[in-house]
Amino acid sequence: MATAKQKITLNASRDIPFNKLILSQANVRRIKNGQSIEDLAASIARRGLLQSLNVRPVLDGEHNETGMFEVPAGGRRYRALELLVRQKRMAKTEAVPCVVSDANSAVPIEEDSLAENFQREDLHPLDLFRAFQTLHDQGATHEEIAARFFVSATFVQQRLRLAKVSPKLLDIYEQDGMKLDQLMAYTVTDDHARQEQVWDMLQNSWSKEPHQIRRMLTETSIRASDRRALFVGVDAYVAAGGIVLRDLFEADDGGWLQDPALLDRLVSEKLRTSADEIAAEGWKWIVVDVDLPYGHAQGLRSLTGTFVDLTDDERTSREALRNEYEEIESQYGEAEELPDAVDRRLGEIEEALERIENRPMIYDPAEIPRAGVFVSINRDGDLVVDRGYVRSEDEAPEPLDGDGAEPEGETDSDDNDAEPRPVHRTTITIGAQPSEPDEEDYGDAIKPLPVRLVIDLTAHRTLALRNAVAANPHVAMTALLHRLVLDTFAHRCSSGCVEASVRHVYLTAQDADLKDSPSAKAVADRQEAWKADIPFGNDDALWTWLDDLDEASRLALLAHCVSFGINALYERINPYGAGVSQQGLEQRLREADRLALATGLDMVDAGWQPTVANYLGRVTKARILEAVREGVGERAAQLIDHLKKGEMAKEAERLLADSGWLPEPLRFADDEQPVAQPGDADGETEALPEFLAG
């Protein structure tokens, strides 16, 4: 006959006065961890004791109960109650709910303490998010919830933001389908559809790191640190109805502006207002753009102006600031690190001195009506106004007679009957660089590169080639001798007394990032360095200066001058004979290849990398996949072949970074890569020179 199992008997609970309780030395918790005793005491004062103490009767030497009870489990609660008694917020005889264990139990008292702490299971983060959300829905503010649970308001905001992620993603997180840091990345937007779309794109991808999630969720937004956002101001953008996305879990530099169209409108309006104010000065034209293209002022005459005189107060202030700056430098000259207050003061002095030195320029009133102004925004979001440029067609006509006298009968008159002069209206152009029509997506076919794109790419190559030739006097000398020998023996006509010249080739209307390239900066720096040394205005003085230069300096200057005649641009062929011919273009590109080989030019080393702006966003999807396939491999191309064109271009930029891949116009002529003929955006193709045709 089977023996019935003995049923368990639970320990009885009872209320015991606090002064009858003592803390057991058998408590296994020795290290402080988690909520402080002060916070726990405040929680008990607000809510009462939510969990009873586990106690055992204290026995005397004869194993009789003494009326005292020791607390092996619940030591932190005991200390919190003890603190309330010391603070006179609770009577020492206050009854405390306790679960009383058998004093003669076979289970060691230490085991009671270990079991209570070891078998406790922490709350799942998702339950915490939802609990905070419930309290918030009931009307509690972030600060009130934070005060109740002794955490920061930011902690509460973060958890509430996590609770608002798409329910689909929360379920995936609950089932351990994603990590907490990945879930945090999805909080940068409240758009559940977009969150789920990004998850669907990344769930089977090898790259689904938090930074990748954030990038994809904000790819249609604009950083608050963008020059346009800094120019308008985030507050003005929000006041106009714009929405700012913020990341509560990582530094986001002010967040992302979600409405690019609104931001562009605000930028355009503010630039237009500034241009109208400048137009009141009487300029003939004003060109306005967020980022003016490289070479926008080339070929224009720059007016010479004078700074506005300093007032007596400004001179006094400048002298005082300089003295203070020198005094601080002498005091802390040998210090390894400046105190924060001193460092801030030095910065304030530098800014004040810069404001005094950057005074307005005064121009000849007779020149202003024929000159113009360029208006743009710098990287810090500040308005940049560059005044005083005259186009060749606006230059004053030469006087008819030798002494410049006015024709007889045409004199100024103050007569009231004289006909009033017409009112001058300034021409304001918003956007200095014409935009290109969007290229048609031809599907999987490898269609020709647009001629405009080929021109832009070869502009990068031309500038890099100039820099390479200028750094190689031997090649520059060879190129110049080549030109001179052709002029001498082939009887080609050229202008100038010596029958040799360098025609400065300007790169006009190119893409905006050309001027920020390493080659452009190197050429500009070299130009300014020579400009500071060369004596202009006196031909004899210039000859003497050149004659006295050492041989190395002469060669370096020769190379620099020759480099400005380098022209490796691809151009459209004019069928009516104007401009460059097909034969001339082929000859130009062949010579460009020869110079590139002679100087060892490598466009990768020159700093060119494929980006959405300079290549990938301007070609078809088939071209993008071809580039990734050549630069990274077939596997990488397969990873992005399902994406839309915009997303594919951005992913391709990331994959091709530092790969060394170059498009056909930037390769050498002997490259075996098969290439297509470049054509216009309307599909019309043109025959390419051997340099591009493979």
Side-chain angles (χ1 to χ4, degrees), residues 285-297:
W285 51 265
I286 300 176
V287 172
V288 184
D289 202 357
V290 173
D291 192 10
L292 294 167
Y294 176 78
H296 63 275

Side-chain angles (χ1 to χ4, degrees), residues 9-27:
T9 302
L10 298 178
N11 295 328
S13 60
R14 54 187 286 195
D15 293 340
I16 302 174
F18 180 73
N19 60 353
K20 298 296 183 183
L21 301 176
I22 59 174
L23 189 61
S24 174
Q25 297 302 312
N27 194 306

